[in-house]
Amino acid sequence: MTLNEEVELLRKIPLFAKVEPSKLKLLAFTSERVSYDAGQALFAQGDMGDAAYIIVEGEADVEVSTPSGPLVVATLGRNYFVGEIAILCDVPRTATVRAKTRLVTLRIAKDLFFRLVTEFPQMAVEIMRELASRLENTTAQLREARMQQRQ
Amino acid sequence: MSDYLDRNMFGFVLRHSKRDQLYLLALIVASYPIQFLVYDSTKIIINKAIGGKGPPFEATFFGLIHFSLDVGQITFLLSLCFVYLFAVVASNGFKNWMNNVRGRNAEKLIRRLRYILYTRILRFPPSQFKRTSQGEMIAMITGEVEQVGNFFPGAIADPVFLGGQLAVSTMFILAQDWMMGLIAFAVFPIQMYVIPRMQKKVSALSKRRQREVRRLSDHLGETISGIAEVHANDTSGLERARLADRLGVIYTVRLEIFFRKYAIKALNNLLDKVSPFFFYSIGGILVIQGDITLGGLVAVIGAQKDMAAPWKELLNWYQAQADATVKYEQVVTQFEPAGLLDQKLLDAHRDEAVPALNGPVRLSSVSLVDEDGIRRVAGVSLEFPLAEHIAVVGGPTCGKDDLARLLARLAVPTSGRILVGEHDLATLPEAVTGRRIGWVDQSSALQSTTVRENLLYALKQRPFRPAAYTPEEAAQRERDSIAAALAGNTMQDYRADWVDYEIAGATGPDDIAPRMIAALELVELTDDVYQMGLRGIVDPADRPDIAEAVLRARAALAARLADQSHAGLVERFDPARYNANATMAENLLFGTPIGAAFKIETLADNVWVRTVLDKAGLTDELVEAGREVAQTMVDIFADLPPGHEFFERYSFISSDELPEFRTLLGRVASLAPAAMTAEDRARLLALPFMVIPAQHRLGVVTPEREEKLLEARRLFRAELPYDLAGEVEFFDPVRYNAAASLQDNILFGKVAHGQAQAAQKIGALVAETLDSMSLRAAVMEAGLAYHVGVGGSRLSTVQRQKLSFARALLRQPDLLVINEAGAAFDTSLLERITGRLLAARKGKGVVWALSRPRLAEAFGRVLVMDDGRVVEDGSWAELNREGRPLHALAGAP
């Protein structure tokens, strides 16, 4: 896959959809393509975050450790952006992400990500938008859960 | 071998070269008659041969040897001329001989002086190193001794020789006419009165210059060792101003010396030129009146001219003498501090084995007062068996480090005594303390050599086995050691094997390695050294066995890499394939550059590379690829501010060059590669050389280009000019690459980009493979040969600390004193090392001034110090109670 194909791929991710192509090219060029075998972890819960990942190919499981062993809470596919929370707010990884199949990712290192965000405000705005919508989602889920609990 | 140092330079010269100087003087005296003959024969030639009448012709040499010859005038003249020629040749021969003798004397003296000064440094009390800086000492032994040394050849001989010459000329002139003689000497008294007075001022200035230059070297040393501080504090301006200030002072002083020296010379010249005035006037009148002959006057004038030269040189000698005396005295006074270590302590038992320390260590009211009068250790009394393990704890100024230094005899008690068995530690020679007591400091210095030599440094107290010399080398060594002895240097051969293998528990060079590795293992340095070994280079000519084993390991690793679970981790070098994980430059060269010619970074500029590219029809293709790379770079990086760190990290084009490439791209936009200027082509051509397809994903290395590049690779090797053959070691699947590291030889490929944890996985695979081939020892050996850099700069602080621990352990001293070493370690590492060290030293003593009091738990006995006193002494269990000092200390993090 060449740089230009990667740029096309990045544009399909909502977070980057509105970012200029030349910036995406820079992002693609400066990030690293990393592939994983099935079962290999991208990162583990509790680690300090040093990078975020974009899934280019394959699927990954999000696992949370529970007293009764790891619990898969979600499965992510192509074009997902994962691991950004730990690098945005300097908290340990909240979950383990593990390749479910053979997985190809674009790894964006933390310092690189921050530089891009500070360098290009429109990217920051897009990320804000994405996070806000996720928060909205989570809040909705929480509301639902509360309702269920009350019933 | 005494290192007595005369205060007076001539005292030093005479003490150490009396016989040489006498020999030289004998030569000088022997040369006088010949010199006289030179003058005498000229006079006889003019007066008796040219102006005389005969036959028979008569002549008298030296006023004694009289002869007459019944030959023709021309024959007589020619024979006299040959006498003259003989005299000139002989006198020059003598001069040459004397110069050689002078040179040898002087070099011996310089060698001796440096050696003595160095020995003095070894005897300096520790306080001296706080007063005199490293830079100053180095400047003295190197530069200043050199300047003093320049005077040595003529120190004694010159005044005698020149004085003699003067005397000969004087005698000659006086013999001709006493009045002429008086005239010739008329100016001497003036010079002899004025010049020393002028010289005195020069000497004072030259003393000052020397001090200022020393300060300069001090400043230089400070800047170099503190370069990080200069940059971190932006004090380069300040430092330059400081330098300018110092240089300004030196400038003024030097200039004044120069002016004054030349004032002296000018005065001499003037006085020299004045004396002929008297010769021509008074001498002329005497000749006209017939009181002396014309030949006599000519000879007198000649002699006076000859006299002017030695007289001038004598004055030069005087000036140089004054200068050298000042320098010598300035150096010597710096090397005579009070409290020099007794020479006997340094030299006693140097060449023999010393017995192990024995018996308990007893301190009776030991105090140490430092040069500022502060009591660092105050009346400590205590006794412990040599084999005890003792922790010393206390606050930062409690004196535990001073107590440690006292026990290692790096300091001597100001009052009180330390007894080891029956012996007073203060009077034990260093051959005992330095061999039987070990010492690890917070920041032990490392030698700038290999890991191995650094470890063995603790075992090299005397030469044990002579070096293996060829007969010629042995003869040379014999001559060298005689020369060394004549200059008062040690005759011990530095090239001999100095390692005391037995003290480390080995029997010889062959089984010392396991001992070293055991010591490294104890401080957890083995893995680091192993990694160094992997990066190290092994010469297959030296170790064909290793090379062969590595090749087997290469094959074994290849088989394992072919396995499904490791597929794609490494892309191996294949002569017939383009390696997508290597740069284009590496793909083209397909080997390891040896010299500078084929350096990977500048490969595109190489003439042979360009020739090959042309032959393969690849040049235009690569210029086009370069245009694509440049275009992408300009697209991607155009919006970044200049100097942004991304340029350095990711771009093929630096931020300074980006605008140039933008205009270049505009200029060549509609041109075919062949139509571009040579310069533009060269710039573009260099870009794709750095591209690694798997990493950069730029899409410029197309299959067609790969194909052509493989052809270029083949041509490059097949037609490589003879003179370039030594510049590259080509990759060959079945050959050991002597220029590449062990790791690269085993891997024989590139770690693939974009494979998660590829490096760790491969590291583990390589290690497994090496172990299965029993190559671990070979890698360790290569690791031991790793050069640690100046003062260990290529190692981390932690590694340096570990290495100094390992070094002290290797010697297995009777008592190991550790001064807060390991402070750079994290607590768990220090705890592990402490545990292992104490276990390894069961039955042998350890005194450890601990930086972390909690670690004292592992020791049999704990001393708590405060304000130079031992305030508590007992076991951990006894002392670690609520309200006790140890409890408070151990509670602190």
Side-chain angles (χ1 to χ4, degrees), chain B residues 25-52:
Chain B
L25 291 184
L27 276 181
I28 290 171
V29 171
S31 75
Y32 287 149
I34 295 176
Q35 215 193 334
F36 193 86
L37 189 62
V38 174
Y39 299 131
D40 217 17
S41 49
T42 44
K43 198 189 79 180
I44 297 171
I45 287 170
I46 293 176
N47 285 343
K48 297 282 158 74
I50 303 174

Side-chain angles (χ1 to χ4, degrees), chain B residues 21 451 696 800 808:
Chain B
Q21 301 292 356
V451 173
H696 298 120
R800 284 202 288 271

Side-chain angles (χ1 to χ4, degrees), chain B residues 572-744:
Chain B
R572 287 178 42 92
F573 294 124
D574 183 339
R577 285 188 45 214
Y578 194 91
N579 190 318
N581 285 289
T583 62
M584 184 182 284
E586 289 167 318
N587 265 295
L588 176 64
L589 184 65
F590 205 66
T592 312
I594 292 170
F598 295 134
K599 243 173 86 180
I600 291 291
E601 292 80 35
T602 52
L603 194 71
D605 302 332
N606 184 276
V607 178
W608 174 241
V609 170
R610 298 294 292 271
T611 317
V612 166
L613 292 182
D614 285 343
K615 277 191 181 177
L618 198 57
T619 311
D620 287 351
E621 198 72 48
L622 291 186
V623 171
E624 192 53 46
R627 185 193 339 228
E628 291 162 31
V629 173
Q631 191 61 56
T632 310
M633 291 302 123
V634 168
D635 285 351
I636 293 182
F637 291 100
D639 289 345
L640 287 178
H644 195 286
E645 65 157 303
F646 278 11
F647 281 107
E648 203 181 313
R649 274 172 62 183
Y650 300 106
S651 180
F652 288 92
I653 298 173
S654 74
S655 67
D656 307 337
E657 291 174 321
L658 199 71
E660 296 169 32
F661 270 99
R662 190 179 295 147
T663 42
L664 191 157
L665 284 173
R667 187 162 62 229
V668 301
S670 57
L671 296 178
M676 299 178 195
T677 65
E679 197 190 329
D680 287 352
R681 283 164 63 88
R683 294 197 77 171
L684 291 176
L685 182 69
L687 292 177
F689 270 73
M690 296 176 272
V691 171
I692 301 170
Q695 185 190 350
H696 298 120
R697 310 162 335 248
L698 290 170
V700 295
V701 187
T702 58
E704 301 83 62
R705 287 174 184 162
E706 279 185 10
E707 206 55 47
K708 285 189 183 167
L709 211 108
L710 290 176
E711 172 59 14
R713 177 195 287 179
R714 197 191 60 75
L715 282 172
F716 185 98
R717 183 171 183 174
E719 297 177 15
L720 185 69
Y722 180 71
D723 57 327
L724 289 172
E727 294 284 346
V728 55
E729 172 94 30
F730 290 108
F731 296 143
D732 188 333
V734 295
R735 268 194 55 207
Y736 187 88
N737 183 334
S741 68
L742 271 180
Q743 177 157 274
D744 288 348

